[in-house]
Structure formats: structure tokens, C-alpha cells
């Protein structure tokens, strides 16, 4: 592998806790595709890991609840012909998923008032537009 996959800060994906599974990729390919196991499935037991701080782990379990099966997060990659590149892709994807899931929630949006002048100008323009359209009707032309 090309080194430790950083989740955020000094927290990295521990190589010992990653479970790899290889299978044959589906889809088009040449004669070689039927004999090479190039699809990669990477599994990470989020429920039992000690690599994440407890608060991060809690956030990740909550946010990724729909993707977890018995507390295990699974990522697949099969877009490359090379098993090595698929391994890289899966590991990067897993690290990105965990980084997003453990990120602190965004600051709440503060409502801002529309300035009075802008609102008055909008209403004035609406009224003017209405007058223009009313002037187009052919009621008085007759």
C-alpha cells in the first residue's frame, strides 16, 4: 500500500483493522478479465475500532448508520483493471467517508433580515411591472 491513509489530523486508518476481499469484476473487459480478481471490497469494523477518538466514533456510527452492517463499514472498488489501483481507490474512499462522518457539524446558519430599502424597491418594481402588463390589455382600444 502507499502508506497510511489519514482520516483527519494525526488519526490514520490502522492497517491491522482493514479486511480485504477480492473477487472478479463484472462488466466488459478482455480475455484476461475472467481470470483476474480485480474487484476489491474493503471492510472496517467501526464498532470495535480503537483508532478513532470516542467522540469521532460516536459521530461516525450515527452518521453512517445506513451504510453499516453489524457495525462494519464496507467499500467496494472495481473501476480499474489493476487490483493494486482498486485497493488504493477503496482505501482512499474509506478514509474520505470516515473523514466526512467524523467532521464536526457545521455552524448553524444565522438568519439575516432583508433590508427595508431592498424590500421596498422590490415591491415598487412589482407594481410597475403590473402597470406595464395592465397597459397591454386591449380593453380601452375599442
Amino acid at each position: 500500500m502507499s502508506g497510511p491513509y489519514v482520516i483527519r489530523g494525526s488519526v490514520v486508518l490502522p492497517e491491522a483493522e482493514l479486511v480485504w476481499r477480492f473477487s472478479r469484476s463484472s462488466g466488459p473487459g478482455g480475455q484476461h478479465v475472467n481470470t483476474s480478481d480485480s474487484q476489491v471490497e474493503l471492510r472496517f469494523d467501526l464498532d470495535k475500532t480503537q483508532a478513532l477518538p470516542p467522540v469521532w466514533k460516536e459521530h461516525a456510527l450515527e452518521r453512517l448508520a445506513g451504510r453499516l452492517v453489524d457495525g462494519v463499514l464496507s467499500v467496494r472498488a472495481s473501476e480499474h483493471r489493476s487490483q493494486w489501483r482498486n485497493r488504493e481507490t477503496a482505501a482512499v474512499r474509506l478514509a474520505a467517508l470516515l473523514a466526512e462522518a467524523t467532521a464536526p457539524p457545521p455552524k448553524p446558519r444565522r438568519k439575516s433580515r432583508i433590508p427595508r430599502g431592498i424590500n421596498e424597491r422590490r415591491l415598487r418594481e412589482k407594481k410597475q411591472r403590473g402597470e406595464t402588463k395592465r397597459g397591454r390589455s386591449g380593453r380601452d382600444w375599442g
Side-chain angles (χ1 to χ4, degrees):
M1 299 298 301
S2 71
Y5 293 96
V6 177
I7 295 174
R8 209 169 63 244
S10 62
V11 179
V12 295
L13 274 175
E15 191 68 41
E17 293 184 21
L18 301 179
V19 179
W20 299 93
R21 205 176 106 208
F22 306 101
S23 59
R24 295 195 176 131
S25 294
S26 61
Q31 294 171 334
H32 183 64
V33 79
N34 296 328
T35 59
S36 64
D37 294 340
S38 60
Q39 179 176 337
V40 173
E41 183 180 359
L42 175 58
R43 299 168 66 88
F44 180 67
D45 197 340
L46 191 57
D47 211 16
K48 296 184 176 104
T49 187
Q50 298 297 317
L52 298 176
V55 177
W56 286 20
K57 189 171 162 180
E58 207 174 290
H59 279 291
L61 285 168
E62 188 179 306
R63 289 183 182 162
L64 297 172
R67 287 195 64 148
L68 298 177
V69 178
D70 297 329
V72 177
L73 181 61
S74 178
V75 175
R76 282 190 180 163
S78 63
E79 46 270 5
H80 304 290
R81 286 185 64 182
S82 158
Q83 187 187 96
W84 184 260
R85 287 179 65 193
N86 281 332
R87 284 177 67 127
E88 292 288 313
T89 303
V92 167
R93 206 177 286 166
L94 179 67
L97 256 173
L98 288 172
E100 190 177 320
T102 58
K107 290 182 181 176
R109 182 182 174 276
R110 285 178 45 199
K111 289 183 181 177
S112 59
R113 286 190 55 229
I114 298 172
R116 190 153 148 218
I118 289 176
N119 204 27
E120 287 174 358
R121 185 176 71 209
R122 182 182 64 85
L123 293 173
R124 208 173 33 249
E125 287 172 359
K126 276 174 67 94
K127 192 160 290 286
Q128 191 174 355
R129 183 81 177 142
E131 291 295 324
T132 303
K133 288 187 172 190
R134 198 173 298 119
R136 290 181 187 156
S137 68
R139 275 190 266 139
D140 298 340
W141 291 3

